[in-house]
Amino acid sequence: MRFPYKIVIASSLSLVSMISYGQQKKEGTIQNEEFVTEKVRKIEVQPTMSRSFEALNEVPDYSKDHKIDYDFAIDKPQSLLLPSIKTNIIGPRAGEDLKSLYGAKAKNSIKIGAGNYGHNLLNGHFGYNPTEKESRGIYINHDANSNGPTDNAFSSRSENEVKVYSQSLWSKALLKGALDYRRTATNFYGKESFPANTPEDAYGVHYDQLKFNGDIYSATEGKKFSYQAGTEFSSLSGNLAPKEWLFKNYVRSSYAISSGLALRVNGEAILSNFTSNTSTNRQFFRLQPSISYDVLPRLNLVAGLNAVQDDELRLYPNVQVRYRANDFIRLFAGLEGNTQFNSYHSSLQINPWLTQAVTLQNTQQKWMVSGGLMGSNERNVSYELKASYGEYTKMAFFTSSAADLSQFDITYSNADAAISVLDLQADVKMSITDKIQSDLNVQYTNYANLGNLLYAYHRPNIQIALKNTIKVLPKFNVLPELYYLGGLYGFNPRTQKASTLDNILDINVKGEYAITEKFTASLSANNILGKNYQRYLFYPTQGFNFTATLAYSF
């Protein structure tokens, strides 16, 4: 397929990330402090190879002092989401904080840990500041289980990563760059049986990913024009046939025409190649111009267009209304459409046991209406309540392969039948006292008009997460967690029947003790009920497991 004019567009976007290198330096500093993110909802999932722990928060992000008022701030409606598959239950622990209680005071840290199922981990971050305006660092991570839920090495898994990064604050821009190498390995342990004397690595699969990121942020306050732009190149390969490379550029910009009136233009260009049985070039382009207008001091209207080009050109509306009655009650509503680019790597992040011969298609969100309210009393309670309803085509589901039940195909809904999705979400964060903090998230999703599918396979219809932090003593914290996942179905292609998977109730507790300002010890007990749940059909997860860790910050 030939698309020279689109390569020019992609190259033009990438040039934006190099503009500020010619600018002169002036006074400014980069502070060594913890980055507090604004709330940004993204489709971001973790693999479910087995229970493990999230890597150390390795790289401080210094862009917090150079925030740009784009359309994803916490006081604005969240941009449109395609229904996602969350896998942080009985899988890698999202939100596991692997650093000292006093870690924000230190640039460097290292953590070691060990537990049952042959669990061992090593995390480390080592950084320095050549000048007050520059930061450099390296991050390493090793996290592995030599045994798994099948009580042998056939269900072992490992994750290894090395990342180097650099950040520089210039007179008018913040520049960030990183080079990352990651290797993940697991086994197809969901097989019906293993032949006698089978080597432990006979059914193993591993993937190597090399990724480069470069970003530039405008860092001049009070100017009419602000921007963020970046480029990413990644290459994925492994011991099986599939390979993929992806080149992505993006730009987000805002221009203040007058007080209360702004023009926003976001763009994205993706070129990729996926090779399995055949080699396929893929292209994806997005342009999102919009106008933001403060109709009244408390009423804001955003109206624009979302133009997406992949195999065809599609135009979607983008209309959002926001009203701030007060800080505790902020109403929002919207009408939008979108297309999600699905790559092989993004599919592996959700399910690492894919077959070699998968087909990649982009999910189309034909339209969606949403509304809700959010707010905070700025003391001890913040919340968001949201409801949405929309129609989708080419939505991806994972079903077991008829050739090998331990591997999964990607099955798409019939393109001629739009799936209806009703999504209800509630998110409440509370500081009950100065010693107890809680975060409750509840999500209900109903899939209808599934066309050629009987159920929304491996997509739960209810998800509940309750996370708490209890400060028992000045140096001792207890972190109990509860996760619930219900409404899961798998599909057995050999019997042509759906399988109802047990609901998941996952209870965990972690204790952290600050031995000194530099040393922290912790003990985590997970899946206390000891159930070998199946998040994916034929793949039991680890039962009760624990990990003891020791962290040092300096």
Side-chain angles (χ1 to χ4, degrees):
M1 182 178 295
R2 306 182 66 176
F3 38 89
Y5 74 97
K6 293 174 180 174
I7 295 179
V8 173
I9 294 175
S11 301
S12 300
L13 286 172
S14 66
L15 287 175
V16 178
S17 63
M18 294 185 261
I19 292 174
S20 294
Y21 279 94
Q23 297 173 344
Q24 298 298 317
K25 298 182 182 179
K26 72 174 186 179
E27 292 301 318
T29 62
I30 288 183
Q31 300 294 328
N32 289 316
E33 55 189 14
E34 189 175 1
F35 177 39
V36 180
T37 61
E38 292 180 290
K39 185 176 181 181
V40 182
R41 289 191 180 275
K42 299 184 293 184
I43 302 175
E44 192 168 287
V45 290
Q46 300 289 332
T48 56
M49 288 184 281
S50 68
R51 183 187 307 280
S52 62
F53 291 87
E54 182 181 309
L56 183 70
N57 292 337
E58 73 281 16
V59 182
D61 192 326
Y62 303 113
S63 59
K64 80 167 189 177
D65 295 323
H66 310 285
K67 290 185 282 191
I68 303 170
D69 186 23
Y70 293 122
D71 199 32
F72 46 73
I74 188 171
D75 60 339
K76 302 171 184 176
Q78 310 303 327
S79 46
L80 195 64
L81 284 184
L82 303 178
S84 60
I85 302 177
K86 296 183 180 179
T87 59
N88 59 343
I89 299 174
I90 311 294
R93 293 290 152 183
E96 181 74 14
D97 191 5
L98 299 181
K99 65 179 181 181
S100 166
L101 298 177
Y102 300 91
K105 300 179 182 179
K107 290 187 296 183
N108 305 317
S109 53
I110 188 169
K111 185 160 191 175
I112 58 174
N116 62 339
Y117 288 99
H119 186 208
N120 57 90
L121 64 88
L122 170 65
N123 304 125
H125 170 236
F126 311 95
Y128 73 102
N129 294 86
T131 69
E132 290 183 333
K133 294 173 286 188
E134 297 176 295
S135 177
R136 310 284 185 266
I138 183 171
Y139 165 71
I140 60 173
N141 175 51
H142 166 76
D143 192 335
N145 290 89
S146 59
N147 297 299
T150 58
D151 295 327
N152 55 48
F154 288 120
S155 53
S156 64
R157 39 74 61 189
S158 67
E159 303 171 27
N160 294 280
E161 181 180 7
V162 178
K163 180 178 183 178
V164 293
Y165 71 92
S166 172
Q167 302 181 47
S168 299
L169 178 62
W170 292 58
S171 61
K172 296 181 180 180
L174 173 67
L175 308 177
K176 300 170 62 178
L179 182 63
D180 183 47
Y181 169 76
R182 180 175 301 189
R183 180 186 178 95
T184 60
T186 184
N187 287 276
F188 293 107
Y189 69 87
K191 293 184 177 296
E192 298 173 276
S193 61
F194 294 94
N197 302 318
T198 300
E200 293 180 353
D201 60 351
Y203 302 110
V205 54
H206 69 259
Y207 291 96
D208 299 278
Q209 184 189 30
L210 185 65
K211 181 168 68 173
F212 166 79
N213 289 90
D215 300 274
I216 180 171
Y217 302 78
S218 61
T220 305
E221 297 182 0
K223 297 297 183 180
K224 288 188 173 183
F225 178 68
S226 59
Y227 65 87
Q228 175 183 337
T231 187
E232 172 187 317
F233 177 81
S234 64
S235 175
L236 181 75
S237 61
N239 62 327
L240 301 182
K243 294 178 175 61
E244 182 179 59
W245 62 259
L246 185 145
F247 178 55
K248 174 182 177 180
N249 292 275
Y250 77 92
V251 62
R252 302 186 183 108
S253 63
S254 177
Y255 179 76
I257 300 173
S258 62
S259 178
L261 181 63
L263 170 66
R264 292 169 177 163
V265 179
N266 297 344
E268 182 180 25
I270 299 175
L271 303 178
S272 73
N273 175 271
F274 174 63
T275 301
S276 182
N277 295 332
T278 60
S279 179
T280 304
N281 291 321
R282 305 179 66 208
Q283 52 186 315
F284 182 87
F285 301 91
R286 187 199 313 276
L287 184 64
Q288 294 176 290
S290 63
I291 291 289
S292 175
Y293 178 54
D294 292 336
V295 181
L296 296 171
R298 295 176 180 268
L299 179 64
N300 175 263
L301 172 67
V302 174
L305 186 69
N306 185 1
V308 175
Q309 170 77 59
D310 47 16
D311 296 332
E312 60 179 305
L313 176 64
R314 288 181 292 277
L315 302 177
Y316 302 104
N318 176 15
V319 180
Q320 298 179 6
V321 180
R322 302 186 291 268
Y323 176 71
R324 183 168 64 89
N326 51 52
D327 288 339
F328 196 71
I329 301 178
R330 304 185 184 195
L331 306 173
F332 60 87
L335 169 64
E336 298 181 73
N338 208 345
T339 297
Q340 175 177 274
F341 181 83
N342 295 320
S343 67
Y344 182 64
H345 181 241
S346 66
S347 301
L348 280 175
Q349 285 185 296
I350 304 171
N351 186 327
W353 301 292
L354 298 182
T355 63
Q356 297 186 40
V358 297
T359 302
L360 298 176
Q361 298 184 42
N362 298 328
T363 302
Q364 299 172 19
Q365 186 180 56
K366 300 178 66 174
W367 60 268
M368 187 187 80
V369 293
S370 62
L373 66 158
M374 64 192 306
S376 170
N377 64 3
E378 297 185 351
R379 297 189 308 276
N380 57 357
V381 176
S382 64
Y383 72 95
E384 179 181 0
L385 306 176
K386 182 178 180 180
S388 64
Y389 181 81
E391 291 187 347
Y392 301 78
T393 59
K394 298 182 181 179
M395 184 179 289
F397 300 89
F398 296 106
T399 57
S400 300
S401 170
D404 186 343
L405 293 179
S406 68
Q407 300 185 25
F408 290 86
D409 292 320
I410 301 179
T411 303
Y412 297 91
S413 60
N414 192 325
D416 297 328
I419 293 179
S420 300
V421 180
L422 171 66
D423 190 71
L424 305 175
Q425 297 182 41
D427 191 356
V428 181
K429 294 178 173 61
M430 300 172 291
S431 294
I432 300 173
T433 68
D434 59 349
K435 296 183 178 181
I436 302 176
Q437 296 180 349
S438 296
D439 186 348
L440 172 65
N441 179 266
V442 179
Q443 182 174 2
Y444 170 79
T445 308
N446 181 66
Y447 300 88
N449 303 323
L450 289 167
N452 56 319
L453 302 175
L454 184 61
Y455 296 104
Y457 296 115
H458 292 112
R459 289 182 178 267
N461 63 13
I462 186 167
Q463 302 176 79
I464 300 174
L466 175 61
K467 295 180 284 186
N468 305 275
T469 300
I470 303 173
K471 194 176 185 66
V472 180
L473 297 171
K475 294 185 177 182
F476 180 58
N477 289 346
V478 175
L479 294 85
E481 298 176 343
L482 182 148
Y483 297 94
Y484 179 81
L485 205 65
L488 284 169
Y489 293 90
F491 179 73
N492 188 329
R494 295 184 181 175
T495 62
Q496 290 295 304
K497 292 182 179 180
S499 298
T500 302
L501 302 182
D502 291 340
N503 294 336
I504 295 172
L505 178 61
D506 187 24
I507 301 175
N508 322 294
V509 63
K510 175 183 177 182
E512 293 180 332
Y513 180 73
I515 303 172
T516 68
E517 289 193 357
K518 293 185 177 182
F519 279 101
T520 302
S522 66
L523 178 63
S524 300
N526 301 302
N527 195 3
I528 293 176
L529 299 180
K531 302 292 186 180
N532 294 110
Y533 301 107
Q534 293 186 39
R535 178 59 180 87
Y536 288 97
L537 187 62
F538 305 125
Y539 276 90
T541 56
Q542 291 180 9
F544 172 77
N545 64 94
F546 64 88
T547 301
T549 57
L550 183 66
Y552 176 66
S553 299
F554 58 100

